[in-house]
Amino acid sequence: MKKIKIDLEEKIKASHLKDAWENIGIHHHHGINIPLFSIHSKDSCGIGEFFDLKLLIDFAQTIKMDIIQLLPLNDSGYESSPYNAVSSLALNPIYISLKKLPFIKSDKQMQLELSGFRKYNYLQKVAYNAVLTAKLSFLRKYYDRYFLNFKSSPSYQGFLKEGTWLQDYGLFKCLKEDYAHKGWFSWEEKHKNISEKEKKSLLKEKKKEISFYIFLQFLAFSQLEEVKEYAQQKKVFLKGDIPILISPESLDVWEGRKNFNLNYCAGAPPDQFSAEGQNWGFPIYDWKYMEKTNYAFWSDRLKTAGRLYHLYRIDHIIGLYKIYAIPRSGEGKGRFIPDDQDLAITSGEKILEKLTSFSTMLPIGEDLGANNESIRKSLSRHAIPGTKIPRWEKNYLKDDAFIPYDLYNPLSLTCVSTHDSETLALWWKNNPIEAKAFAQAFTMEYKKHLTHHLRYQMLKASHNSASLFHINLLPESLALFEDLVWDYPEDERINIPGTILPSNWCYKMRPSLEHLLEHDDLKNVMRDLAA
């Protein structure tokens, strides 16, 4: 084992990600994964907020875990899915911590306004649209009262200079408002295909409203950057999430159409999870054009993320090598682009090396899916960790035998479930044959229902795998205590992919963050998991 460790360190230090690894440390890391919208504290206004993360950081430090993984935090407008953002750079203003805004404590009228958010805190699910509407209303009043106190400050002026994208973002948000939040495809021609003359005119005409949206970004970035600094002080790393694909209705596509091939939608071919395949509706990239611009789109995106996070998850990293493209016209079948595996590896490595050079953040790839072993080997050669879900890690050449935890590639992250998968309890309940086989393979005593002991065994094993990273959804650990989860396992699920359901993206953790910090039994067992 010692020689393997030495060889691994030498491999990492010889890679182009040497600095990113040294920032994190070449050793085992343990962490928790939770959407920001799912946490809450006594100061929350209907949804998890940026400064709530300080309490979560305190909790992570207490249980001796050093990574907090989040879902994307980009502005997604009135779309609750964090993977369907209207901007790849802007943060979602719904996460601004209202009670911690400057001047609020001494403003009795604004304090009274804040009391109206209490009703949302008592709901079992996040009332996303209602909370966003209420927050934007509150923030408009806050802008009218206090913007002049910020306008000339060095911090605000510095933010404007750094954010060359802010004016276009503000204009796009104004137009979305004018068109009742409809996609830009349905806008009038003069706005759908806007000229520089029309844009210049609108920037002047809508100056105040644009200023409001820019101000919200200033508040959001200021708060999250403060959270990152707090995390550093506590020796905890923030892990962001970079969705590989971009909404067709986003600002990025509206103003940068040359970066995309709008003739195709990205998706997935038929597989064990979907007999008919999946059409995600997102456009694919025009990598040849991006190369001509030195990948400016990705450079801006990753440099901006680097202000907020220490490491990041690349969602569907396989898509940087090859993407399953479906004709948007509906005519013809889907196919991989490129469809030659050798070409996919060559082009993917070229893209990855370029993209990962834009930031000192360490990337971790979501490389789940069948028949991608050559891509996983490519990621490993470049010292980029992949992802291991024990129930899906099988040797398909040996009767689908489960792969032992200690045989995982150290350049990986182990987790028992994801935000898109069934929870452990639901998987165990809905797949008894597979669960029984899993228990047998790992010498566990099978029970019909996932018992406390079985859950603990699986979590403990995931934190002791050969992977260098061990990050589990926090609710999976909370479920070790019945009083910390909802009565029905279905209420613990975050999202069901390929569906549009009111239950998607509105999961709220049952206990408050203050409760977690006071729960000695939970803290003790989670310390033990990472020991």
Side-chain angles (χ1 to χ4, degrees), residues 340-355:
D340 179 83
Q341 187 69 2
D342 291 337
L343 179 58
I345 297 299
T346 302
S347 61
E349 289 184 343
K350 178 182 177 181
I351 291 168
L352 259 181
E353 287 180 13
K354 190 64 181 180
L355 268 51

Side-chain angles (χ1 to χ4, degrees), residues 111-350:
Q111 285 287 337
L112 184 62
E113 291 269 349
L114 283 174
S115 65
F117 286 91
R118 288 177 190 158
K119 60 187 177 185
Y120 301 118
N121 294 336
Y122 302 126
L123 300 176
Q124 180 177 335
K125 299 286 188 180
V126 176
Y128 181 89
N129 284 356
V131 171
L132 179 59
T133 298
K135 277 202 161 187
L136 289 176
S137 176
F138 178 92
L139 287 164
R140 285 181 189 278
K141 293 172 185 175
Y142 182 81
Y143 172 86
D144 290 339
R145 284 174 181 251
Y146 297 111
F147 175 64
L148 291 180
N149 295 75
F150 296 88
K151 186 176 181 180
S152 300
S153 68
S155 57
Y156 187 72
Q157 290 300 313
F159 181 72
L160 292 179
K161 288 179 182 178
E162 286 184 25
T164 55
W165 53 275
L166 290 165
Q167 289 288 332
D168 284 351
Y169 165 75
L171 175 59
F172 186 75
K173 292 289 286 186
C174 289
L175 290 172
K176 288 282 284 185
E177 193 83 20
D178 290 345
Y179 285 100
H181 305 286
K182 294 178 181 178
W184 60 265
F185 298 113
S186 64
W187 294 357
E188 292 180 37
E189 180 63 26
K190 64 177 181 178
H191 295 148
K192 180 166 62 176
N193 297 298
I194 194 166
S195 65
E196 285 301 316
K197 181 179 179 181
E198 177 67 14
K199 181 186 286 188
K200 187 176 181 179
S201 174
L202 286 173
L203 287 172
K204 184 176 181 180
E205 175 188 331
K206 297 179 177 294
K207 184 176 180 180
K208 182 179 179 180
E209 187 67 4
I210 290 171
S211 174
F212 166 69
Y213 287 113
I214 293 174
F215 181 58
L216 295 191
Q217 289 305 303
F218 169 73
L219 296 177
F221 271 84
S222 298
Q223 289 191 352
L224 190 49
E225 286 176 327
E226 183 177 329
V227 168
K228 183 187 179 186
E229 184 177 344
Y230 184 80
Q232 289 174 184
Q233 294 170 3
K234 297 286 185 174
K235 294 182 171 52
V236 173
F237 301 109
L238 294 184
K239 181 184 175 187
D241 190 330
I242 307 295
I244 184 176
L245 298 168
I246 301 295
S247 168
E249 297 183 4
S250 66
L251 162 66
D252 305 271
V253 179
W254 176 65
E255 72 170 359
R257 268 165 262 185
K258 289 184 178 180
N259 286 317
F260 304 90
N261 183 339
L262 297 177
N263 294 320
Y264 292 93
C265 295
D271 57 20
Q272 59 181 326
F273 304 107
S274 175
E276 297 180 359
Q278 298 178 48
N279 185 336
W280 300 330
F282 296 139
I284 66 172
Y285 292 111
D286 186 333
W287 291 112
K288 289 184 179 179
Y289 176 80
M290 282 190 167
E291 186 177 8
K292 293 177 182 178
T293 67
N294 198 29
Y295 303 92
F297 167 84
W298 281 97
S299 176
D300 291 344
R301 195 178 186 193
L302 292 169
K303 287 177 181 177
T304 300
R307 296 168 56 180
L308 311 171
Y309 310 113
H310 302 96
L311 63 165
Y312 64 108
R313 171 184 181 267
I314 303 182
D315 177 55
H316 193 59
I317 197 170
I318 290 165
L320 297 179
Y321 289 83
K322 60 179 183 179
I323 198 77
Y324 191 70
I326 303 166
R328 187 173 293 276
S329 64
E331 299 177 3
K333 296 181 179 180
R335 63 186 177 93
F336 279 106
I337 299 177
D339 58 3
D340 179 83
Q341 187 69 2
D342 291 337
L343 179 58
I345 297 299
T346 302
S347 61
E349 289 184 343
K350 178 182 177 181

Side-chain angles (χ1 to χ4, degrees), residues 32-36 38-39 56 69-71 473-475 507 509:
I32 51 181
N33 177 8
I34 189 74
L36 178 52
S38 298
I39 63 177
L56 191 61
Q69 178 176 328
L70 302 165
L71 266 57
L473 282 167
L474 180 53
Y507 168 72
M509 211 167 64

Side-chain angles (χ1 to χ4, degrees), residues 19 90 101 103 133 279 285 326 380 464 513 528:
D19 293 340
L101 290 171
F103 313 112
T133 298
N279 185 336
Y285 292 111
I326 303 166
S380 186
N464 282 275
L513 292 169
D528 182 66

Side-chain angles (χ1 to χ4, degrees), residues 492-529:
E492 292 292 321
R493 183 152 189 182
I494 296 169
N495 177 55
I496 300 178
T499 67
I500 300 176
L501 299 171
S503 57
N504 286 347
W505 311 116
C506 64
Y507 168 72
K508 184 189 289 187
M509 211 167 64
R510 186 170 186 173
S512 68
L513 292 169
E514 289 88 355
H515 189 180
L516 296 188
L517 285 163
E518 295 169 358
H519 202 297
D520 291 335
D521 289 340
L522 172 68
K523 289 186 290 185
N524 288 334
V525 76
M526 292 194 72
R527 281 191 206 103
D528 182 66
L529 288 174

